[in-house]
Amino acid sequence: MSAQGDRRVSSFAFLLFCASSVPRPGIAGLRQEPSPQRYFSGLEAGRASLAFFTPHASPGAQPFLEQIGSSAEALQDYGISVVKVNCPKEDVSRYCGKENALRKAYLFRGNILIREFPTDALFDVNSIVANVLFALLFNEVKYVETLADLQNIENVLKGKSNMVFAYVPATGTAEHRAVMEAAFVYGTIHQFVLTTEAALLKATGNDDPDGSSAWLLFCHCQRATDPAQPCRRTALAQPLTLLNIHRHLKLMGAPLVTEVAEDPEKVSTVHLQLGLPLVFILSQRETYEADRRTAEFVAWQLLGKAGVALLSRDLVDLNVLHRSNVALKTPDEGMPIQYLVLEDTDEVITLVEDKNKVRQIQEDEEKEEEEEDEDEKENNNQDIQDDQVVEAVSRDKKRELPLEQVLVLTEETFRSSLSEAAQAVVLFYASWEAVSLAVLRSYSEVADHLKGTPGVLLSRVNCWDWPGICTQENVTQFPTVKIYGKGEKSVTYDGMWGTEELTSFIILSRVPCPLKLATMDEAEGYLRGEFPPELSSHHHTSLLGVFSTATSEAREAFEEAGSILSGHVTMGMYFEDDGLALSRKYSVSPPALLLARSGGRSVEGIALPKQSVQDVVQMIRYQLLDVFPEITVQNLPRYLQLTKPFLILFSDGDISQVESKEMLKLAKGRPQQAFVACWLNLKRTPVGYGILRTYFAAVPSLPVLVWVDLHAGGQVFQFPPEQPITEVNILSWLEKLQAGLEIPSCTLSEEDWKPPLPAYDFLRMMEAAVPELPLHPPHHPGDVPAQHPPESPGGDAASRAEPSQEGTAGKAGSPGRDLRGTAPRLAAREKQGRRHSEL
């Protein structure tokens, strides 16, 4: 039915109620006819009429006439006329015969007799109106006697229409009249079903043992699209009156959850208009899906008791605490909206049902805020943190992260979002874990760099809220970044967490690895740095594999190596018939690698013998290393993986051209060098000062050349500072080192550098904890002791499901669903533990 039609029905029902509440004088609405002939000749087709035939002088008819006269105006509201027909003494017809006088009343539609009523069944106004409407609505209002009859009607209505099921102890009562009047108005919208069988009460969830009270259920069959799914039922908690039924049906017809994008003070819903409170679930874009489900769950529990609205923080500027996740607006005029911090849906239900709960929650919040202020002061006075990452996150905890460009994924949106994007980047993290929160900062910067890049979706999954997704994707450590391409296997990022490194990985992952080139011109352009459009702004050393038709085995190993190195290197592949001409140009024979540095200004040819995939991967990684690199925090792991000694030139700024030239000659002078010649700029990498203090107790004069073998004894040697840094002098010094003629400056400890605590498989712990979840998770997830697995506040998918629909919404038990999804969960707003050991 249209909205306009709904308004008409609503207005009509309200007018009926008002009309039925106005006292009526005597028998003003009773029409009288002098004879049966005149009565029957005046009947209109399709119009209902209740007739009572009586002789002119009939003293026994007066009490009945008073009742039927009083009902006349009520029935006129429904288009039913009430007529007293005077029978002449000589009339012995069917209606005026002696045996029928004062015993029956007749209901006609047009000139068709619908039903005969014994007058003792029409004992007052309620019985008259109820029985007449029941007879007229016989095809619209179904009467059932057994549970099977009721279930059959429900099954027919599923997915189509809703049902109003009413029990009355007997027909002709005031409650029966109220149901029939409601059915007359709403019968075209809902299917009305009536019973007087007390045995059906228990089967439909009523606990009244004797069936002495009338009862009404609204059955939400239209939402039950699955034939096996029972219809949800919401009971009318007030007495069965026309006004209460009308109010109940208005509430059932209102949206389950109203989405609000304006000041809550200005919001007015049907619930407030009918004197019920309105609960706001505060939401934000990142958690919209979870908040919507939470709001719907709460709405089902409070159906008929309060309204529920979803209020977006992103669209409405609220001057309230960031932690507030629920607001309550009462219908009382002038009462301010109360903003609260609640932990689970049980508290929301209690909030509506127990008004004293609001005052208690507000007192608890004030006390908690005072405790937080004291904790923060203690944190600020704490000079030593046992973990630098935790310290940094704690220090910057009030810094809000710009994560608008990063889509939050849930169990419902994960698969669909991945399928819609050409390239989906997903960060799997835990909102309480310090490293995850630190990486979120880099990730937000990556999102800013890639803003507007077509086909790239940056998203995140909080494994604390959605452990099921992380288990399915084999995520067992935090944080983890995976890239999903359509029709391809996911690629896991295993590099450094800096913004530049992560951005490079995402950009390079957009291009096939290896990129298959079809012509000589494409191959030559590739070596010159003419990358695909996706890499137009990205400068990277490119590597081209050249193969002939006879080197298929090496080509397959190269392709497999490309899939392993995807995101880390730029690889091309050329294996056309003229591949020999390309290889001869660079003095190599297929299979071969052509390594182009500095935009193709220099191309180096490298033979590629038939090797395993892992050998090819290691060879490529080694060849891509710089000859004389500057060591940084980001690239140090790549050179440590070579397990070779380091010859490091520490410099306070850029090294001179002379020193650079001599060191470069040294690095290039011996193929497959037995050590890594490199340099470190202390201005760009200040951690080098700490390294020198470890080596020499104090920072020596710069530049200083140091030999250190981390993998064999940890001895540190200093090149004589009085000697110039030249290739000849360095080689001579290295020979003395090999001969054991030099004394080390220091020897590093053999103790391994390990994290303060052993690594945990947090996800497995979270999954194991799910079956024994407490109803109320701890306030501060960061404060869980290390020896206990973290308790998942959200639980698994099963714990998030809606309750059983077999009972009424009022009787469905709340699973204690957590409300963390509704509160802002950015890193800046999360409470962090003060020590790593407490994580």
Side-chain angles (χ1 to χ4, degrees):
M1 176 175 284
S2 66
Q4 186 176 0
D6 285 338
R7 286 195 294 271
R8 282 200 301 267
V9 168
S10 175
S11 302
F12 182 41
F14 181 71
L15 289 173
L16 286 179
F17 166 71
C18 294
S20 64
S21 303
V22 177
R24 297 177 176 85
I27 57 174
L30 181 63
R31 200 176 93 221
Q32 301 193 34
E33 291 289 353
S35 66
Q37 291 80 5
R38 181 161 178 180
Y39 168 69
F40 285 115
S41 63
L43 292 177
E44 300 177 20
R47 185 175 176 82
S49 173
L50 178 66
F52 173 69
F53 297 83
T54 179
H56 274 289
S58 180
Q62 190 60 33
F64 175 70
L65 287 176
E66 290 178 0
Q67 295 299 324
I68 203 166
S70 299
S71 67
E73 288 194 19
L75 290 175
Q76 281 180 356
D77 292 333
Y78 301 101
I80 305 167
S81 60
V82 180
V83 184
K84 173 180 174 287
V85 181
N86 294 315
C87 292
K89 291 181 180 180
E90 64 278 6
D91 193 340
V92 291
S93 65
R94 173 182 178 184
Y95 300 106
C96 287
K98 196 172 186 179
E99 67 278 5
N100 292 322
L102 297 179
R103 295 183 184 176
K104 292 183 179 181
Y106 301 88
L107 179 63
F108 295 90
R109 181 179 279 120
N111 58 2
I112 300 174
L113 177 64
I114 301 297
R115 186 167 177 185
E116 298 178 2
F117 294 105
T119 54
D120 56 0
L122 308 179
F123 47 85
D124 61 8
V125 175
N126 288 330
S127 64
I128 295 171
V129 176
N131 282 302
V132 168
L133 292 180
F134 195 18
L136 288 175
L137 300 175
F138 181 77
N139 293 323
E140 286 77 18
V141 178
K142 306 292 184 183
Y143 182 83
V144 296
E145 296 181 345
T146 66
L147 180 60
D149 294 337
L150 181 63
Q151 290 174 340
N152 289 337
I153 295 174
E154 275 194 353
N155 291 335
V156 172
L157 294 176
K158 285 178 183 177
K160 302 174 184 175
S161 180
N162 296 318
M163 180 176 73
V164 180
F165 173 66
Y167 162 79
V168 292
T171 58
T173 60
E175 292 86 356
H176 183 208
R177 172 186 173 179
V179 173
M180 289 302 105
E181 288 183 308
F184 191 92
V185 178
Y186 293 96
T188 57
I189 305 173
H190 310 302
Q191 175 64 65
F192 278 72
V193 177
L194 181 72
T195 188
T196 56
E197 299 294 330
L200 282 178
L201 286 181
K202 192 171 183 180
T204 53
N206 189 288
D207 297 326
D208 185 1
D210 57 4
S212 58
S213 301
W215 195 44
L216 183 138
L217 283 177
F218 187 89
C219 304
H220 307 267
C221 296
Q222 196 168 15
R223 294 176 178 265
T225 54
D226 184 356
Q229 179 184 3
C231 300
R232 285 180 178 270
R233 296 167 180 170
T234 306
L236 171 63
Q238 290 79 32
L240 229 63
T241 66
L242 178 58
L243 178 60
N244 286 339
I245 295 175
H246 166 68
R247 185 172 178 269
H248 192 61
L249 296 184
K250 285 283 290 181
L251 292 172
M252 298 302 103
L256 184 63
V257 175
T258 304
E259 298 209 17
V260 175
E262 61 177 327
D263 185 350
E265 296 284 357
K266 300 177 182 178
V267 174
S268 177
T269 66
V270 65
H271 307 86
L272 294 169
Q273 295 163 11
L274 294 176
L276 297 179
L278 181 62
V279 176
F280 294 92
I281 303 295
L282 306 190
S283 175
Q284 57 187 4
R285 182 168 47 251
E286 297 93 338
T287 59
Y288 172 80
E289 293 297 332
D291 301 339
R292 176 80 193 184
R293 287 195 309 277
T294 300
E296 288 177 355
F297 177 84
V298 172
W300 280 116
Q301 304 303 305
L302 295 178
L303 199 57
K305 302 175 185 176
V308 176
L310 195 62
L311 176 61
S312 173
R313 286 178 175 268
D314 302 304
L315 302 177
V316 182
D317 186 17
L318 297 176
N319 188 23
V320 296
L321 291 174
H322 286 305
R323 296 186 300 118
S324 299
N325 55 7
V326 173
L328 181 68
K329 183 175 184 178
T330 61
D332 304 324
E333 218 173 300
M335 287 295 292
I337 294 179
Q338 295 159 318
Y339 292 90
L340 307 165
V341 180
L342 302 185
E343 297 223 1
D344 58 33
T345 52
D346 283 344
E347 291 195 358
V348 183
I349 310 303
T350 308
L351 180 69
V352 172
E353 296 177 346
D354 184 2
K355 294 183 179 179
N356 294 327
K357 185 70 175 177
V358 180
R359 188 180 303 107
Q360 179 186 340
I361 290 175
Q362 289 176 329
E363 291 174 357
D364 292 344
E365 284 181 6
E366 292 173 0
K367 184 178 179 181
E368 185 179 338
E369 286 175 17
E370 293 175 1
E371 292 175 355
E372 285 182 5
D373 291 339
E374 292 177 4
D375 290 344
E376 188 168 349
K377 290 178 183 177
E378 185 179 343
N379 242 351
N380 293 337
N381 294 331
Q382 189 171 340
D383 295 326
I384 299 175
Q385 292 280 352
D386 64 352
D387 188 295
Q388 291 181 345
V389 176
V390 176
E391 181 184 15
V393 170
S394 178
R395 183 178 62 247
D396 297 337
K397 66 182 180 181
K398 292 186 178 180
R399 173 188 170 191
E400 294 195 21
L401 299 180
L403 292 169
E404 296 83 3
Q405 306 297 325
V406 180
L407 179 66
V408 174
L409 300 183
T410 67
E411 287 180 345
E412 285 74 14
T413 62
F414 183 76
R415 293 296 169 195
S416 59
S417 297
L418 296 191
S419 62
E420 292 171 1
Q423 183 188 37
V425 185
V426 184
L427 169 65
F428 298 90
Y429 70 103
S431 57
W432 47 265
E433 195 261 330
V435 178
S436 290
L437 299 181
V439 170
L440 266 176
R441 299 176 188 174
S442 297
Y443 201 60
S444 66
E445 294 172 358
V446 172
D448 188 58
H449 285 313
L450 298 179
K451 181 180 178 181
T453 304
V456 178
L457 170 68
L458 261 70
S459 57
R460 56 190 169 111
V461 172
N462 187 352
C463 294
W464 178 257
D465 288 335
W466 310 108
I469 300 177
C470 301
T471 300
Q472 293 171 8
E473 298 305 308
N474 196 30
V475 175
T476 57
Q477 63 182 15
F478 309 131
T480 293
V481 167
K482 289 192 173 190
I483 296 184
Y484 298 81
K486 288 187 176 180
E488 300 175 4
K489 291 182 180 179
S490 63
V491 178
T492 302
Y493 178 64
D494 58 359
M496 300 292 286
W497 290 112
T499 302
E500 184 179 345
E501 292 77 16
L502 191 50
T503 303
S504 173
F505 179 76
I506 295 171
I507 292 175
L508 290 179
S509 296
R510 302 185 68 199
V511 179
C513 188
L515 182 66
K516 295 180 181 178
L517 305 170
T519 66
M520 276 279 287
D521 289 341
E522 287 184 2
E524 293 276 18
Y526 177 80
L527 291 174
R528 289 193 300 269
E530 297 173 4
F531 297 116
E534 295 89 341
L535 304 180
S536 58
S537 61
H538 188 78
H539 303 289
H540 204 279
T541 300
S542 57
L543 188 145
L544 177 64
V546 182
F547 305 91
S548 65
T549 54
T551 58
S552 59
E553 184 178 343
R555 188 183 74 195
E556 291 173 0
F558 185 79
E559 288 186 90
E560 184 64 27
S563 64
I564 295 173
L565 295 171
S566 176
H568 297 285
V569 300
T570 305
M571 292 173 59
M573 185 172 66
Y574 187 70
F575 55 91
E576 299 301 325
D577 295 337
D578 51 359
L580 290 173
L582 184 65
S583 58
R584 279 197 298 269
K585 179 177 179 180
Y586 295 101
S587 304
V588 290
S589 299
L593 299 180
L594 299 179
L595 192 66
R597 305 179 190 273
S598 304
R601 286 194 293 271
S602 65
V603 178
E604 180 182 356
I606 305 167
L608 181 65
K610 296 180 180 179
Q611 297 173 326
S612 68
V613 174
Q614 287 303 323
D615 291 337
V616 174
V617 170
Q618 290 182 359
M619 179 181 181
I620 291 173
R621 281 177 171 163
Y622 179 77
Q623 293 297 337
L624 289 174
L625 295 175
D626 291 334
V627 177
F628 178 54
E630 177 189 353
I631 292 299
T632 64
V633 173
Q634 288 77 16
N635 66 16
L636 177 61
R638 294 203 294 268
Y639 294 95
L640 285 174
Q641 288 175 350
L642 299 175
T643 66
K644 296 179 181 181
F646 276 62
L647 182 64
I648 312 175
L649 178 62
F650 290 86
S651 174
D652 186 18
D654 292 333
I655 57 177
S656 67
Q657 290 185 353
V658 174
E659 292 166 345
S660 177
K661 183 178 180 181
E662 293 296 323
M663 291 294 294
L664 199 56
K665 283 196 299 182
L666 178 71
K668 289 182 177 180
R670 298 181 181 181
Q672 304 298 322
Q673 193 67 264
F675 58 87
V676 177
C678 55
W679 69 289
L680 192 148
N681 186 341
L682 294 176
K683 286 188 176 179
R684 280 196 288 264
T685 312
V687 72
Y689 286 106
I691 295 172
L692 289 175
R693 291 190 191 99
T694 301
Y695 289 169
F696 306 111
V699 178
S701 298
L702 300 175
V704 60
L705 186 63
V706 175
W707 173 278
V708 57
D709 191 349
L710 299 173
H711 307 285
Q715 291 183 327
V716 178
F717 297 88
Q718 180 182 1
F719 180 74
E722 67 275 6
Q723 293 186 22
I725 297 176
T726 65
E727 180 186 12
V728 174
N729 289 342
I730 296 172
L731 288 175
S732 175
W733 178 61
L734 292 179
E735 288 176 359
K736 292 180 181 180
L737 289 183
Q738 291 178 350
L741 301 177
E742 292 285 326
I743 300 174
S745 301
C746 73
T747 301
L748 300 178
S749 170
E750 294 183 0
E751 183 181 358
D752 292 338
W753 292 359
K754 294 180 179 179
L757 293 173
Y760 289 115
D761 187 342
F762 292 110
L763 198 64
R764 186 176 299 170
M765 292 178 177
M766 290 160 63
E767 286 291 345
V770 166
E772 300 177 0
L773 283 177
L775 285 181
H776 301 280
H779 278 279
H780 313 302
D783 294 338
V784 179
Q787 63 266 28
H788 298 297
E791 294 175 337
S792 170
D796 58 11
S799 69
R800 293 175 179 271
E802 293 176 344
S804 169
Q805 300 172 2
E806 293 177 0
T808 65
K811 291 197 172 287
S814 169
R817 287 169 49 123
D818 178 63
L819 284 177
R820 289 181 71 234
T822 66
R825 294 179 295 171
L826 302 187
R829 299 168 183 168
E830 288 285 350
K831 253 190 143 180
Q832 297 301 317
R834 290 178 301 195
R835 290 187 175 273
H836 190 138
S837 59
E838 294 176 351
L839 291 176

